[in-house]
Amino acid sequence: MALMTSMREKMHVVLWALLAMFILSMTMGGLVGGANVLDILAGNVDPRTIMARINGQDISPDYFNQLVNQQIEQARANGQKINDFQIQRARNTAWDNMLQDVLVSQEVDRLDITASDEEVMYHLENNPPPFLQQNPNFQTEGAFDWDKYRTALANPQGSEWLPIESFMKNTYVPNFKLQKLLDESIIITHRDLKNEFIKRNVNFTISGIHVTSAKVPAEESEPNEGELRADYEKSKDDFKHDELRSVTYVSWKKEPSKEDSTSVEKLATALYERAQEGEDFATLANEYSVDPGNSGTKGGDLGWFGKDRMVKSFEKAAFAANKGEIIEPIKSNFGYHIIYVRDKKTENGEDQVLASHILLKIEISPTTLANLKRDATLFSYDAQDNGFASAVESHGLVTGNHEKMNEAGFSIRGLGGLRAGVRFAFNGKINDVSDIMENDQYFAVFTLDEVIEPGIKPYEEVESQLKSSLKKTKVMAATLDQANKLLIKISASDLKLDEVIDEDSELDGVKNESKQLVQGFTSIGRSHYVTGALLAAEPGEILGPLETSRGHAIIELKEISAFDSTEYEAQKETLRKTIFNRKQNQYFQAWLDDLKTNAEIIDNRKFYF
């Protein structure tokens, strides 16, 4: 690594910020508390020390939580509020990324793919990874600046490039070489290029009949009890479930109290009076308005607006007021508004108003929040001492429930995202009462009602799912049958497709429509079956029945516009890149899916939060 050593001796650009994506402190996670760990060991894999085992390779909880935190920090940096939904999404994304990275790394090792110093240097100079290209230090006006980057690369200081060099040598370059090996299986033929050009540039003129579910009588598509029962027996394995649990809960919604509303109303009245007494409206708006469009700098200016642009109560007050009038506080779904009508006019027969406003939102106060939490605490103590049902009755509360939840869930029916409620259910015993739990909208207290052992969902529970699936199958069979009958009728007569459409006004038909294949045709839409058949057809042919997303189509190809060979040559390389990128993604995903299918994976995520 003499070349790399030489580079490091010359470094003067500090790149530690780049390492944030690799070195993150663990700020969340932990084994579900209270459970006997010996009872949750699976396949001799201890979830206290092993989050996952992938083809014999162990993943530690700390490492997985670092990946989760990386996703959470990215969401936070993008201005997203971190709640149970965001955390669950971060966990799923981290798992998918980790699984892919491990499987790819294992294949790199199996194929003995390595990177030389020269290859590392070549890629650093000519093919830097995305995180380097996206670093602000190497950008000018939001775009990657090769001059800045190569200057930094040629003038290093210290050893700040060492972890990047290691990443390039052990991960980035080997993975790049593996992708190149996979790319060797991609073949783009002249026919592929020509068809891609035709789909995007050549017009096909067709007439067509689309037989959809609308033409299928209910008695032909509605499955009967016997068919549903038979389908259930045949597909029972599809309805297996792990252990399930059911809970009952009471909740306290985090919403403003009457006192909170009264307090905001009083402030609105006070601001109105100050404005009436001569204080500058724009100054008051910049200081007090919480309208996100104001940003504390626009003086509450809303500009000119016509009717049907504002909420009804606001609009009614603004258009009823006189020019120069400040209107007493009015209430809308957004809060309280103090409106200053600065001007009025009529333009093109439409009345318009120029106005500014101060918006005061009615938000829950710390006092109200504390009172709700106190009520929830008192209930929790009462329920733990005297029983959940007794406490519900004595406190006069209404219960909610979530039946048959699974351990991987993160939301509670009626409450939204609340992973802590799911953890409680799977960590408790029947009739246990939880401590207070909360999300952005509610405080809640739970009790565990039922534990359902792993098994198969009963017929009654999946009946609607079976009915939907079987009905779709019967509809497609019925549309195929009707389309075949139409095709026989057309073939046995001298009628043209257009004449058949004219004969029956109830047919869903299209006549002499000219479109490119990437656009899809009226009613028929885009269908691989339709596209493939038209690409292989000659004008005058009747095609079908061809399957669509809603039924089956019979199509007569009327005309194909001229193939522009000059334009084809001009687009050929762009088309080649488009096809290559599409096939590359498809091939890689198929390759990765095959690795996942054949991998031995033990997943202990459910034991962590």
Side-chain angles (χ1 to χ4, degrees):
M1 299 297 288
L3 181 62
M4 291 295 108
T5 302
S6 175
M7 278 182 53
R8 290 194 297 274
E9 288 173 352
K10 300 176 184 176
M11 281 188 178
H12 73 257
V13 179
V14 178
L15 297 172
W16 286 112
L18 294 173
L19 306 183
M21 63 178 294
F22 304 117
I23 305 171
L24 291 168
S25 60
M26 187 177 70
T27 60
M28 61 169 289
L31 196 64
V32 173
N36 184 349
V37 175
L38 295 178
D39 294 336
I40 59 177
L41 297 182
N44 297 321
V45 175
D46 187 345
R48 293 171 298 183
T49 57
I50 299 172
M51 170 64 70
R53 176 170 289 170
I54 303 168
N55 291 329
Q57 180 176 335
D58 292 341
I59 307 298
S60 72
D62 286 1
Y63 176 71
F64 180 72
N65 283 322
Q66 288 174 11
L67 299 180
V68 173
N69 282 322
Q70 180 178 331
Q71 295 296 323
I72 290 173
E73 289 307 312
Q74 287 178 356
R76 186 176 283 118
N78 290 331
Q80 297 174 2
K81 188 173 183 179
I82 304 305
N83 51 31
D84 273 9
F85 172 77
Q86 292 292 348
I87 292 172
Q88 181 71 3
R89 185 161 70 175
R91 292 174 77 247
N92 291 340
T93 301
W95 173 264
D96 291 340
N97 291 344
M98 181 200 69
L99 182 58
Q100 176 174 318
D101 288 346
V102 170
L103 291 174
V104 169
S105 177
Q106 289 175 348
E107 280 299 288
V108 167
D109 291 341
R110 186 182 70 81
L111 296 170
D112 196 25
I113 300 174
T114 59
S116 67
D117 291 354
E118 290 74 18
E119 287 173 320
V120 169
M121 191 62 199
Y122 174 83
H123 281 277
L124 274 173
E125 289 182 339
N126 301 287
N127 183 33
F131 75 87
L132 284 174
Q133 297 188 37
Q134 294 165 6
N135 186 269
N137 292 326
F138 304 140
Q139 292 188 343
T140 299
E141 296 181 353
F144 181 60
D145 189 321
W146 280 102
D147 290 337
K148 283 184 179 179
Y149 173 73
R150 284 176 174 152
T151 298
L153 193 61
N155 297 278
Q157 174 185 329
S159 59
E160 286 83 357
W161 281 92
L162 180 60
I164 297 171
E165 168 199 325
S166 176
F167 168 71
M168 296 293 289
K169 186 173 183 63
N170 298 317
T171 303
Y172 184 76
V173 177
N175 286 2
F176 181 86
K177 293 171 75 173
L178 173 62
Q179 182 66 64
K180 288 303 179 183
L181 281 177
L182 296 175
D183 290 349
E184 289 178 5
S185 61
I186 299 174
I187 299 173
I188 301 173
T189 66
H190 173 67
R191 171 54 59 185
D192 291 332
L193 289 168
K194 190 173 180 181
N195 283 345
E196 191 73 20
F197 176 81
I198 289 171
K199 286 189 287 186
R200 295 168 179 271
N201 296 274
V202 174
N203 286 328
F204 285 71
T205 302
I206 70 159
S207 288
I209 297 172
H210 195 199
V211 183
T212 67
S213 57
K215 296 292 288 182
V216 179
E219 58 271 16
E220 289 186 29
S221 63
E222 204 66 34
N224 58 45
E225 180 76 8
E227 291 171 324
L228 291 171
R229 290 280 182 182
D231 197 37
Y232 174 70
E233 292 299 326
K234 183 174 65 177
S235 55
K236 271 187 174 180
D237 283 350
D238 296 337
F239 303 118
K240 288 181 178 178
H241 65 77
D242 295 328
E243 183 180 288
L244 305 172
R245 300 205 169 192
S246 299
V247 297
T248 296
Y249 63 84
V250 290
S251 61
W252 293 261
K253 189 170 186 180
K254 297 177 181 179
E255 57 186 3
S257 65
K258 183 177 179 181
E259 289 75 16
D260 294 334
S261 180
T262 300
S263 175
V264 174
E265 184 181 15
K266 286 181 179 178
L267 175 58
T269 300
L271 292 177
Y272 164 73
E273 291 173 350
R274 288 168 63 181
Q276 285 282 62
E277 291 170 0
E279 283 196 48
D280 182 61
F281 192 92
T283 301
L284 292 173
N286 286 338
E287 182 177 354
Y288 290 98
S289 182
V290 296
D291 185 344
N294 186 59
S295 304
T297 60
K298 297 176 62 177
D301 181 28
L302 295 171
W304 287 97
F305 58 88
K307 291 186 176 179
D308 300 322
R309 290 278 307 279
M310 303 293 181
V311 293
K312 287 300 178 184
S313 57
F314 188 105
E315 177 185 293
K316 183 178 178 181
F319 279 91
N322 297 317
K323 175 180 176 180
E325 184 177 349
I326 297 174
I327 304 167
E328 290 187 7
I330 61 165
K331 190 177 181 181
S332 77
N333 292 334
F334 297 100
Y336 281 95
H337 306 263
I338 307 155
I339 307 170
Y340 172 30
V341 178
R342 291 150 50 202
D343 203 353
K344 303 183 78 173
K345 68 179 180 180
T346 300
E347 189 173 278
N348 298 323
E350 179 187 15
D351 291 338
Q352 293 190 2
V353 167
L354 176 65
S356 299
H357 84 141
I358 300 171
L359 171 63
L360 302 177
K361 289 185 178 179
I362 304 171
E363 297 180 319
I364 189 167
S365 66
T367 300
T368 299
L369 205 60
N371 289 339
L372 290 174
K373 190 168 185 178
R374 181 201 61 205
D375 292 344
T377 301
L378 292 174
F379 173 86
S380 178
Y381 291 159
D382 191 2
Q384 291 180 42
D385 290 341
N386 303 308
F388 192 87
S390 174
V392 168
E393 184 176 356
S394 63
H395 288 254
L397 298 173
V398 176
T399 61
N401 64 77
H402 187 136
E403 297 181 346
K404 299 179 179 179
M405 68 171 63
N406 65 66
E407 196 167 4
F410 75 96
S411 64
I412 303 294
R413 189 176 299 115
L415 299 179
L418 189 52
R419 175 69 182 162
V422 179
R423 294 200 305 272
F424 161 77
F426 281 88
N427 198 38
K429 299 186 177 89
I430 298 293
N431 295 325
D432 278 359
V433 176
S434 75
D435 294 326
I436 300 172
M437 298 176 183
E438 66 174 304
N439 59 16
D440 291 343
Q441 293 184 295
Y442 295 94
F443 292 109
V445 177
F446 293 79
T447 185
L448 179 60
D449 297 327
E450 183 183 18
V451 175
I452 302 165
E453 297 300 321
I456 295 173
K457 294 178 183 178
Y459 168 78
E460 291 73 22
E461 192 172 315
V462 299
E463 182 180 3
S464 61
Q465 181 180 341
L466 287 166
K467 184 177 290 186
S468 175
S469 175
L470 195 53
K471 182 174 182 178
K472 183 175 181 180
T473 300
K474 296 189 72 171
V475 164
M476 293 303 285
T479 59
L480 177 59
D481 182 59
Q482 288 191 27
N484 273 318
K485 288 177 180 177
L486 272 172
L487 189 59
I488 292 170
K489 176 182 176 181
I490 293 167
S491 301
S493 68
D494 293 331
L495 290 173
K496 302 293 185 183
L497 201 63
D498 289 351
E499 293 173 331
V500 175
I501 295 171
D502 291 336
E503 271 188 359
D504 189 348
S505 60
E506 294 186 2
L507 284 176
D508 191 352
V510 55
K511 293 170 60 178
N512 298 313
E513 183 171 85
S514 185
K515 291 280 187 69
Q516 295 164 6
L517 295 182
V518 292
Q519 296 174 305
F521 297 96
T522 301
S523 176
I524 296 169
R526 288 187 291 182
S527 160
H528 293 306
Y529 299 100
V530 171
T531 297
L534 287 173
L535 282 171
E538 297 290 338
E541 287 188 57
I542 293 181
L543 312 170
L546 303 171
E547 186 176 324
T548 71
S549 61
R550 299 192 297 132
H552 287 82
I554 299 169
I555 292 174
E556 180 181 353
L557 177 56
K558 296 291 192 69
E559 184 181 344
I560 304 175
S561 67
F563 183 92
D564 188 335
S565 56
T566 302
E567 184 62 25
Y568 171 63
E569 291 298 325
Q571 293 187 27
K572 186 183 289 188
E573 287 310 308
T574 300
L575 293 171
R576 188 185 302 277
K577 290 178 183 177
T578 299
I579 297 171
F580 178 85
N581 290 337
R582 182 168 65 234
K583 287 191 174 186
Q584 185 184 55
N585 291 333
Q586 291 170 346
Y587 284 25
F588 179 81
Q589 194 58 55
W591 174 81
L592 183 62
D593 289 343
D594 186 61
L595 289 182
K596 290 179 181 178
T597 300
N598 294 304
E600 294 181 0
I601 301 172
I602 296 174
D603 179 0
N604 283 334
R605 279 180 295 168
K606 66 182 181 181
F607 299 123
Y608 286 79
F609 58 92

